[in-house]
Amino acid sequence: MQDLLALDGVDLASVAAREGTPLHLYSATAIRQRIDGLQSALQGVDATICYAVKANGNHAILQLMAKSGVGADIVSAGELRRALRAGIAPSKIVFSGVGKREDEIAQALEAGIARFNVESRAELDLLQRLAHARGVVAHAAVRINPDVDAGTHAKISTGKSENKFGVAVAEARQWFTAQAQWPAVRLDGLHMHIGSQILELEPIRRALQRLARFWRELALAGHAIASIDVGGGLGVRYRQGERAIDAADYVAAIRDALAGFDGRIVLEPGRYLVAEAGLLLARVLHAKQGSERTFLVVDAAMNDLLRPSLYDAWHDIVRVGDDNGRTTTTYDVVGPVCETGDTFAVARGLPRCEAGDLLAILATGAYGASMASTYNSRPLAAEVLVEHGRYAVVRRRQTLDEMLAGEQAATHWETA
Ligand SMILES: *Cc1c(COP(=O)(O)O)cnc(C)c1O
């Protein structure tokens, strides 16, 4: 692998020395390139990109989205707050998720978001009740479960009939037929999201075709469909040799499947926009020679980046600096957390490393910091946005006091 010294013009060794490790970095330029690429591919299409906030909801990232005209796909009241605070217009916010709480729906109605992606009859009833009580009409899309295998990891597959997400076409058909039951809900959209980290167009095509077939059926039956939301899921390159789907090919597949549709197309990319723009810097604490393996113990852990533990996900790892003359050594790269699963890489070839060396774990911009926890009482890492040789801290490193705030002795006993 090529020597890695800088990200978006910022020297990695210097920023690590100044801000400490573990440290999440995101390149604003790389994120903008992804947005621009997708927006260019969508030229001439009536489309809204609603960035999936859960991929990385950092305020500065969301501001960058807002400034580029990108909306938000939210899954909680917390994400609604984040999107609004970053200046994303409510008219560009869609609300997804299988378990929206009453107070969350109420907040979204009060904010006047564009659309609810409804996943169950109970949710439809609740939306009716809450919209009616406020004297408003909520726009809703039915999330269809197209029953296709996205060909991705089981834990990030969402479009098979056994998954908890969406409803079968037969059920959705009933909702459209019985629409008058929900006068405070305008059911005029279709939605799907079949999974994440999809690297082949084929499952996407198949799902789009099923969605399109249903749209045509509804249109023939006289139901006006104003919006078709094709979800997210576009995969990214996590390891050398992997190839992400080209934005132009993806958009061509959408245009092809939805030819003749004259409403709005919504896209909900998360990972695609931010994953490859990010990296996680970690410092080597020491190399530990086990009886069978050599462990490289670093100061980042599964609480900073959960994907390897949760999904057996691969992230390329490089030693920051000049590798000249270093022999390649095989390491298990592990964090300090008391779990065997706290492992970033197994039997990975790296230039020989020693204590104090800096490693970059690549493509961590999505589902990195946003999935972080304080497990093992490790404060949340700092995050920085870098751009053209400068960087800004966009999340301070959490202090121990901040981490402990909210906990207290059991002095106020109540009965319930
Ligand atoms: C998670 C999610 C997305 C984004 O998925 P990516 O794989 O990050 O693109 C989009 N839509 C819905 C409904 C989701 O749950």
Side-chain angles (χ1 to χ4, degrees):
M1 227 170 278
Q2 231 177 315
D3 285 350
L4 177 74
L5 300 170
L7 179 71
D8 209 341
V10 169
D11 183 76
L12 293 175
S14 314
V15 70
R18 289 181 61 161
E19 302 301 332
T21 50
L23 184 66
H24 287 285
L25 290 92
Y26 316 117
S27 158
T29 308
I31 295 172
R32 270 200 209 96
Q33 277 170 358
R34 279 292 166 99
I35 297 171
D36 289 350
L38 195 52
Q39 285 177 336
S40 313
L42 285 165
Q43 286 274 328
V45 184
D46 178 4
T48 307
I49 300 173
C50 291
Y51 167 66
V53 173
K54 73 179 191 281
N56 186 332
N58 183 282
H59 182 63
I61 303 259
L62 294 183
Q63 278 190 316
L64 203 154
M65 298 291 168
K67 284 189 188 127
S68 299
V70 172
D73 169 36
I74 59 163
V75 294
S76 67
E79 289 190 352
L80 173 64
R81 174 74 74 88
R82 283 183 183 278
L84 295 173
R85 175 170 177 254
I88 294 176
S91 61
K92 287 188 175 175
I93 298 178
V94 298
F95 194 172
S96 301
V98 69
K100 304 177 187 76
R101 281 199 320 255
E102 183 166 332
D103 60 298
E104 292 180 309
I105 294 177
Q107 285 174 49
L109 282 170
E110 272 145 33
I113 67 158
R115 191 169 285 277
F116 293 82
N117 291 329
V118 175
E119 302 216 19
S120 66
R121 200 175 186 107
E123 184 187 339
L124 196 53
D125 292 339
L126 183 57
L127 187 56
Q128 159 65 27
R129 180 159 65 73
L130 297 175
H132 176 74
R134 283 163 183 77
V136 297
V137 174
H139 284 254
V142 185
R143 177 166 177 176
I144 302 295
N145 184 324
D147 193 21
V148 297
D149 186 345
T152 183
H153 189 283
K155 283 189 185 161
I156 51 175
S157 267
T158 55
K160 298 248 312 150
S161 57
E162 72 254 32
N163 298 137
K164 69 180 174 184
F165 300 99
V167 300
V169 164
E171 164 118 26
R173 191 180 285 126
Q174 288 174 8
W175 297 5
F176 279 98
T177 310
Q179 239 185 95
Q181 283 182 29
W182 302 284
V185 179
R186 186 165 305 146
L187 197 59
D188 63 353
L190 295 176
H191 174 236
M192 72 167 192
H193 173 69
I194 60 169
S196 205
Q197 184 53 12
I198 302 169
L199 292 171
E200 304 288 338
L201 260 183
E202 227 13 72
I204 296 177
R205 277 212 185 89
R206 233 175 304 131
L208 282 170
Q209 275 156 12
R210 287 188 192 173
L211 195 69
R213 197 186 312 144
F214 186 43
W215 153 59
R216 293 202 171 89
E217 176 199 319
L218 290 170
L220 274 176
H223 299 293
I225 300 299
S227 155
I228 295 185
D229 184 333
V230 300
L234 269 188
V236 301
R237 198 179 78 148
Y238 280 113
R239 61 202 290 177
Q240 281 197 322
E242 237 168 27
R243 239 187 67 121
I245 295 171
D246 184 67
D249 293 342
Y250 176 60
V251 171
I254 295 170
R255 280 178 184 251
D256 198 35
L258 300 181
F261 175 65
D262 60 1
R264 167 147 316 165
I265 295 175
V266 179
L267 296 86
E268 301 172 342
R271 188 188 313 268
Y272 181 77
L273 297 182
V274 294
E276 289 178 67
L279 60 79
L280 172 62
L281 285 180
R283 189 76 69 184
V284 173
L285 298 174
H286 50 259
K288 173 178 168 176
Q289 186 60 58
S291 56
E292 287 170 33
R293 326 180 67 89
T294 307
F295 297 99
L296 207 52
V297 186
V298 301
D299 67 357
M302 63 189 286
N303 71 300
D304 305 301
L305 176 67
L306 187 60
R307 299 189 67 257
S309 313
L310 187 62
Y311 312 127
D312 294 319
W314 175 289
H315 284 267
D316 280 340
I317 300 177
V318 294
R319 179 180 171 281
V320 175
D322 178 352
D323 289 345
N324 269 347
R326 287 176 184 261
T327 52
T328 299
T329 309
T330 302
Y331 291 112
D332 282 10
V333 181
V334 301
V337 161
C338 304
E339 297 273 352
T340 301
D342 184 23
T343 298
F344 291 119
V346 176
R348 193 72 69 88
L350 282 170
R352 188 180 42 74
C353 289
E354 50 214 44
D357 282 358
L358 197 58
L359 296 185
I361 306 176
L362 304 186
T364 55
Y367 306 105
S370 69
M371 283 185 143
S373 74
T374 58
Y375 185 42
N376 274 217
S377 293
R378 294 166 46 86
L380 296 176
E383 297 169 62
V384 302
L385 189 69
V386 302
E387 183 170 28
H388 302 319
R390 300 187 304 169
Y391 76 91
V393 175
V394 294
R395 181 191 178 97
R396 292 188 277 110
R397 190 173 300 283
Q398 194 178 36
T399 64
L400 292 176
D401 283 338
E402 285 167 346
M403 186 182 69
L404 295 174
E407 291 181 40
Q408 55 194 9
T411 46
H412 296 284
W413 295 92
E414 323 223 11
T415 53

mmCIF file of all heavy atoms in Angstrom, residues 86-109:
data_model
loop_
_atom_site.group_PDB
_atom_site.id
_atom_site.type_symbol
_atom_site.label_atom_id
_atom_site.label_comp_id
_atom_site.label_asym_id
_atom_site.label_seq_id
_atom_site.Cartn_x
_atom_site.Cartn_y
_atom_site.Cartn_z
ATOM 1 N N ALA A 86 -28.610 21.565 12.159
ATOM 2 C CA ALA A 86 -27.592 21.781 11.129
ATOM 3 C C ALA A 86 -28.129 22.603 9.960
ATOM 4 O O ALA A 86 -27.403 22.901 9.021
ATOM 5 C CB ALA A 86 -27.061 20.442 10.631
ATOM 6 N N GLY A 87 -29.421 22.945 10.007
ATOM 7 C CA GLY A 87 -29.963 23.796 8.956
ATOM 8 C C GLY A 87 -30.561 23.035 7.788
ATOM 9 O O GLY A 87 -30.765 23.600 6.707
ATOM 10 N N ILE A 88 -30.855 21.764 7.982
ATOM 11 C CA ILE A 88 -31.523 21.002 6.914
ATOM 12 C C ILE A 88 -33.012 21.348 6.956
ATOM 13 O O ILE A 88 -33.644 21.304 8.019
ATOM 14 C CB ILE A 88 -31.277 19.488 7.077
ATOM 15 C CG1 ILE A 88 -29.782 19.194 6.853
ATOM 16 C CG2 ILE A 88 -32.154 18.684 6.121
ATOM 17 C CD1 ILE A 88 -29.364 17.761 7.066
ATOM 18 N N ALA A 89 -33.560 21.718 5.809
ATOM 19 C CA ALA A 89 -34.962 22.155 5.753
ATOM 20 C C ALA A 89 -35.881 20.979 6.066
ATOM 21 O O ALA A 89 -35.661 19.872 5.562
ATOM 22 C CB ALA A 89 -35.279 22.707 4.374
ATOM 23 N N PRO A 90 -36.934 21.213 6.889
ATOM 24 C CA PRO A 90 -37.892 20.130 7.173
ATOM 25 C C PRO A 90 -38.465 19.523 5.894
ATOM 26 O O PRO A 90 -38.758 18.327 5.846
ATOM 27 C CB PRO A 90 -38.987 20.838 7.974
ATOM 28 C CG PRO A 90 -38.326 22.033 8.563
ATOM 29 C CD PRO A 90 -37.251 22.455 7.605
ATOM 30 N N SER A 91 -38.591 20.329 4.848
ATOM 31 C CA SER A 91 -39.145 19.829 3.588
ATOM 32 C C SER A 91 -38.224 18.821 2.918
ATOM 33 O O SER A 91 -38.582 18.206 1.920
ATOM 34 C CB SER A 91 -39.392 20.999 2.633
ATOM 35 O OG SER A 91 -38.162 21.638 2.355
ATOM 36 N N LYS A 92 -37.009 18.663 3.471
ATOM 37 C CA LYS A 92 -36.078 17.667 2.915
ATOM 38 C C LYS A 92 -35.780 16.571 3.926
ATOM 39 O O LYS A 92 -34.735 15.923 3.850
ATOM 40 C CB LYS A 92 -34.775 18.351 2.510
ATOM 41 C CG LYS A 92 -34.914 19.190 1.251
ATOM 42 C CD LYS A 92 -33.579 19.691 0.791
ATOM 43 C CE LYS A 92 -33.726 20.408 -0.535
ATOM 44 N NZ LYS A 92 -32.460 21.011 -0.946
ATOM 45 N N ILE A 93 -36.676 16.405 4.900
ATOM 46 C CA ILE A 93 -36.434 15.367 5.908
ATOM 47 C C ILE A 93 -37.479 14.264 5.776
ATOM 48 O O ILE A 93 -38.682 14.540 5.714
ATOM 49 C CB ILE A 93 -36.465 15.965 7.336
ATOM 50 C CG1 ILE A 93 -35.348 16.995 7.502
ATOM 51 C CG2 ILE A 93 -36.331 14.854 8.382
ATOM 52 C CD1 ILE A 93 -35.308 17.684 8.860
ATOM 53 N N VAL A 94 -37.013 13.026 5.710
ATOM 54 C CA VAL A 94 -37.919 11.870 5.741
ATOM 55 C C VAL A 94 -37.586 11.052 6.989
ATOM 56 O O VAL A 94 -36.449 11.044 7.456
ATOM 57 C CB VAL A 94 -37.804 10.994 4.466
ATOM 58 C CG1 VAL A 94 -38.205 11.794 3.229
ATOM 59 C CG2 VAL A 94 -36.405 10.418 4.291
ATOM 60 N N PHE A 95 -38.614 10.419 7.523
ATOM 61 C CA PHE A 95 -38.491 9.718 8.807
ATOM 62 C C PHE A 95 -38.720 8.226 8.576
ATOM 63 O O PHE A 95 -39.820 7.808 8.240
ATOM 64 C CB PHE A 95 -39.523 10.297 9.783
ATOM 65 C CG PHE A 95 -39.339 9.931 11.239
ATOM 66 C CD1 PHE A 95 -40.121 10.549 12.213
ATOM 67 C CD2 PHE A 95 -38.410 8.984 11.657
ATOM 68 C CE1 PHE A 95 -39.978 10.235 13.561
ATOM 69 C CE2 PHE A 95 -38.251 8.665 12.997
ATOM 70 C CZ PHE A 95 -39.042 9.288 13.952
ATOM 71 N N SER A 96 -37.666 7.438 8.750
ATOM 72 C CA SER A 96 -37.745 5.986 8.571
ATOM 73 C C SER A 96 -37.657 5.295 9.924
ATOM 74 O O SER A 96 -37.326 5.923 10.936
ATOM 75 C CB SER A 96 -36.584 5.489 7.701
ATOM 76 O OG SER A 96 -36.597 6.101 6.430
ATOM 77 N N GLY A 97 -37.911 4.009 9.931
ATOM 78 C CA GLY A 97 -37.695 3.230 11.148
ATOM 79 C C GLY A 97 -38.912 2.430 11.549
ATOM 80 O O GLY A 97 -40.042 2.878 11.383
ATOM 81 N N VAL A 98 -38.644 1.265 12.106
ATOM 82 C CA VAL A 98 -39.695 0.294 12.376
ATOM 83 C C VAL A 98 -40.382 0.564 13.717
ATOM 84 O O VAL A 98 -41.458 0.052 13.983
ATOM 85 C CB VAL A 98 -39.099 -1.133 12.295
ATOM 86 C CG1 VAL A 98 -38.146 -1.401 13.439
ATOM 87 C CG2 VAL A 98 -40.171 -2.186 12.234
ATOM 88 N N GLY A 99 -39.774 1.407 14.549
ATOM 89 C CA GLY A 99 -40.344 1.642 15.880
ATOM 90 C C GLY A 99 -40.341 3.102 16.265
ATOM 91 O O GLY A 99 -39.641 3.505 17.188
ATOM 92 N N LYS A 100 -41.130 3.893 15.542
ATOM 93 C CA LYS A 100 -41.178 5.321 15.883
ATOM 94 C C LYS A 100 -42.091 5.503 17.090
ATOM 95 O O LYS A 100 -43.231 5.039 17.075
ATOM 96 C CB LYS A 100 -41.730 6.131 14.703
ATOM 97 C CG LYS A 100 -40.956 5.948 13.397
ATOM 98 C CD LYS A 100 -41.632 6.726 12.264
ATOM 99 C CE LYS A 100 -41.023 6.468 10.905
ATOM 100 N NZ LYS A 100 -41.401 5.176 10.313
ATOM 101 N N ARG A 101 -41.624 6.205 18.086
ATOM 102 C CA ARG A 101 -42.447 6.457 19.271
ATOM 103 C C ARG A 101 -43.420 7.596 19.001
ATOM 104 O O ARG A 101 -43.177 8.437 18.141
ATOM 105 C CB ARG A 101 -41.562 6.839 20.449
ATOM 106 C CG ARG A 101 -40.866 5.697 21.149
ATOM 107 C CD ARG A 101 -40.432 6.152 22.548
ATOM 108 N NE ARG A 101 -39.921 7.518 22.502
ATOM 109 C CZ ARG A 101 -38.631 7.845 22.582
ATOM 110 N NH1 ARG A 101 -37.716 6.904 22.704
ATOM 111 N NH2 ARG A 101 -38.258 9.110 22.544
ATOM 112 N N GLU A 102 -44.476 7.610 19.812
ATOM 113 C CA GLU A 102 -45.502 8.647 19.673
ATOM 114 C C GLU A 102 -44.906 10.054 19.778
ATOM 115 O O GLU A 102 -45.195 10.929 18.960
ATOM 116 C CB GLU A 102 -46.560 8.408 20.760
ATOM 117 C CG GLU A 102 -47.718 9.358 20.694
ATOM 118 C CD GLU A 102 -48.907 8.889 21.551
ATOM 119 O OE1 GLU A 102 -49.073 7.673 21.757
ATOM 120 O OE2 GLU A 102 -49.652 9.772 22.002
ATOM 121 N N ASP A 103 -44.070 10.268 20.769
ATOM 122 C CA ASP A 103 -43.491 11.607 20.952
ATOM 123 C C ASP A 103 -42.571 11.958 19.783
ATOM 124 O O ASP A 103 -42.438 13.129 19.411
ATOM 125 C CB ASP A 103 -42.749 11.700 22.287
ATOM 126 C CG ASP A 103 -41.608 10.705 22.393
ATOM 127 O OD1 ASP A 103 -41.874 9.487 22.340
ATOM 128 O OD2 ASP A 103 -40.457 11.139 22.495
ATOM 129 N N GLU A 104 -41.950 10.967 19.185
ATOM 130 C CA GLU A 104 -41.055 11.236 18.047
ATOM 131 C C GLU A 104 -41.867 11.633 16.808
ATOM 132 O O GLU A 104 -41.505 12.569 16.086
ATOM 133 C CB GLU A 104 -40.196 10.003 17.752
ATOM 134 C CG GLU A 104 -39.198 9.710 18.849
ATOM 135 C CD GLU A 104 -38.353 8.485 18.564
ATOM 136 O OE1 GLU A 104 -38.918 7.414 18.253
ATOM 137 O OE2 GLU A 104 -37.118 8.584 18.652
ATOM 138 N N ILE A 105 -42.976 10.917 16.593
ATOM 139 C CA ILE A 105 -43.838 11.267 15.456
ATOM 140 C C ILE A 105 -44.400 12.671 15.668
ATOM 141 O O ILE A 105 -44.446 13.485 14.737
ATOM 142 C CB ILE A 105 -44.969 10.225 15.300
ATOM 143 C CG1 ILE A 105 -44.371 8.865 14.914
ATOM 144 C CG2 ILE A 105 -45.996 10.688 14.272
ATOM 145 C CD1 ILE A 105 -45.381 7.735 14.807
ATOM 146 N N ALA A 106 -44.805 12.959 16.916
ATOM 147 C CA ALA A 106 -45.369 14.280 17.225
ATOM 148 C C ALA A 106 -44.354 15.381 16.915
ATOM 149 O O ALA A 106 -44.684 16.396 16.288
ATOM 150 C CB ALA A 106 -45.797 14.332 18.689
ATOM 151 N N GLN A 107 -43.132 15.168 17.327
ATOM 152 C CA GLN A 107 -42.097 16.185 17.064
ATOM 153 C C GLN A 107 -41.872 16.378 15.568
ATOM 154 O O GLN A 107 -41.681 17.502 15.091
ATOM 155 C CB GLN A 107 -40.783 15.795 17.730
ATOM 156 C CG GLN A 107 -40.783 15.992 19.237
ATOM 157 C CD GLN A 107 -39.513 15.449 19.876
ATOM 158 O OE1 GLN A 107 -38.403 15.743 19.414
ATOM 159 N NE2 GLN A 107 -39.662 14.652 20.902
ATOM 160 N N ALA A 108 -41.884 15.276 14.844
ATOM 161 C CA ALA A 108 -41.657 15.367 13.396
ATOM 162 C C ALA A 108 -42.827 16.071 12.709
ATOM 163 O O ALA A 108 -42.626 16.858 11.774
ATOM 164 C CB ALA A 108 -41.442 13.969 12.818
ATOM 165 N N LEU A 109 -44.046 15.815 13.184
ATOM 166 C CA LEU A 109 -45.209 16.511 12.624
ATOM 167 C C LEU A 109 -45.107 17.996 12.909
ATOM 168 O O LEU A 109 -45.380 18.839 12.055
ATOM 169 C CB LEU A 109 -46.502 15.957 13.243
ATOM 170 C CG LEU A 109 -47.012 14.617 12.698
ATOM 171 C CD1 LEU A 109 -48.147 14.098 13.563
ATOM 172 C CD2 LEU A 109 -47.459 14.754 11.240
#
